Amino acid sequence: MGPDTAPAAAGRLHLVPVPISAEPGPLDAVLPAGTVATARAAHYFLAENARSARAFLKAIGHPQPIAQLRIVQIGHDPEDALVDQWLAPLRPAAGATPQDGVLVSEAGCPGIADPGANIVARAHALGIPVVPWVGPSAIVLALMGAGMNGQAFRFLGYLPQDRGALQARLQQVQADAWHGETQIFIETPYRSARLFESLLQHCDRALRLCVAADLTGSAPLLRTCTIGQWQAQATAAWPPLDRRPAVFLLHGTPAPAGRRWR
Amino acid sequence: MGPDTAPAAAGRLHLVPVPISAEPGPLDAVLPAGTVATARAAHYFLAENARSARAFLKAIGHPQPIAQLRIVQIGHDPEDALVDQWLAPLRPAAGATPQDGVLVSEAGCPGIADPGANIVARAHALGIPVVPWVGPSAIVLALMGAGMNGQAFRFLGYLPQDRGALQARLQQVQADAWHGETQIFIETPYRSARLFESLLQHCDRALRLCVAADLTGSAPLLRTCTIGQWQAQATAAWPPLDRRPAVFLLHGTPAPAGRRWR
């Protein structure tokens, strides 16, 4: 086969994290130059939210006029039925050169507590190379900073909202935390203060609870205390969680010193 | 209390990730300028490995002669009994100004599949502010890139080496993977190829397995296939795992499209 008939290689699907703070400071505080350069070089974007993607591309000074870029909004629940269509520009096809695509979330890392996994899964199935880039994840920063077990941990997403269901779920979560595995879960801005109170009400006094919010922002919150210590504090001294998305972590034993803890 | 008698504030404990590739390219491909600036501004380091910490500080062009910096090697299993001594320079004390400290691993994020959690836990107990910085984590990059569930996942550390114990453990791991929770585990360079073969031997054909290695390096490996697809490939087409540390991920259902999957 001569070079003129060789099929063009597929484009790559880049996974590009974006800042997580509601009031982001300088971009280079949280994004490596390599991550930014990848987004600046691309012309095709799959975005959880097109508006926030445009704001990000403007903030990094994308060299093309933003209106000339192709930005497809995949939404919070990207439909499986649309994934092949979204990935089509990355695939070799007669008469067209495959291009790279960039997947971006509204905040943080695509596919981690955020949509995009079904698109990445399909890219693998289609032979499209997948390239993850370094950037901020609220969950990862909270885990680093909690002083809990990082050799065994479990991310649970959101806990149930219903009080009875929450209480039942916390029994299992606490049991796993006492076995030494860090339990991580998140809550939305308007419910995080209520979840914090529920944790103080339903968890064992000796369990350690870390509360983290806005870890790359101007007023970061990152504190680990036992439930008993949190309970003993005046409510005025409680973490300011009102209308802030938060990460919660529970761990039941002193942090392990060593590497091969489990 | 007059300003002359006010206790000095405590120093901060910065958690600074370092590159993960054995052949690192440009540092700014994987580290934000903010992370690098934090390490450049510090004079006191708690390092898993003092030699690799010195090489990192040289690579980022630390403005002080490296020999003049205080670098304490905490090792792979930092001793609880030494933690207070290590944190002493960060605490307010008569006649001394508290200084900031920087915790660094040999590779990746301190405290995530790496030592440091007991030091961070003690910092919280002593009222020392903890500041995690953005940087590469092999586990996080693999999870982003696997195309598996990022709304519910579990990091298991290392699986047992003994064949019988491994097989028994994989039964539970597979059951959890089939429930839709991504199962993540790691293996050391000299055992990763053997673990890959064991997974092909013991796991269900329909389960998806992602293999990831050196994700920020010059020859990254990131592929997701079902066990059956992996088995069907010629061994020559298997991922080049010999002497490479690797991350393995298992997931049993198609990747969920949505955000609130669980």
Side-chain angles (χ1 to χ4, degrees), chain A residues 77-171:
Chain A
D77 295 275
E79 271 186 63
D80 283 334
L82 296 174
V83 172
D84 275 18
Q85 181 183 318
W86 291 334
L87 290 175
L90 283 68
R91 302 180 66 183
T97 308
Q99 61 180 152
D100 283 4
V102 165
L103 181 64
V104 281
S105 293
E106 273 187 87
C109 296
I112 300 188
D114 259 337
N118 59 337
I119 299 170
V120 176
R122 187 65 182 147
H124 281 290
L126 293 171
I128 294 169
V130 173
V131 187
W133 290 88
V134 175
S137 157
I139 297 161
V140 174
L141 290 167
L143 178 61
M144 279 173 75
M148 296 180 174
N149 188 8
Q151 325 282 340
F153 56 85
R154 191 174 205 173
F155 176 65
L156 309 167
Y158 296 90
L159 298 190
Q161 288 178 49
D162 171 78
R163 284 194 174 273
L166 173 63
Q167 206 174 335
R169 184 89 165 88
L170 279 175
Q171 291 310 309

Side-chain angles (χ1 to χ4, degrees), chain A residues 15 28 32-34 48 76-78 111 113-114 117 120-121 124 130 140 144-145 147-148 150-155 181 222 257-259, chain B residues 15 28 32-34 48 76-78 111 113-114 117 120-121 124 130 140 144-145 147-148 150-155 181 222 257-259:
Chain A
L15 313 179
D28 68 0
E48 180 182 10
H76 298 324
D77 295 275
D114 259 337
V120 176
H124 281 290
V130 173
V140 174
M144 279 173 75
M148 296 180 174
Q151 325 282 340
F153 56 85
R154 191 174 205 173
F155 176 65
E181 180 183 63
L222 178 62
R259 182 188 280 272
Chain B
L15 313 179
D28 68 1
E48 180 181 9
H76 298 324
D77 295 277
D114 258 337
V120 176
H124 281 291
V130 173
V140 175
M144 279 172 74
M148 297 180 173
Q151 325 282 341
F153 56 84
R154 191 174 206 175
F155 176 66
E181 180 184 63
L222 177 63
R259 181 189 282 272

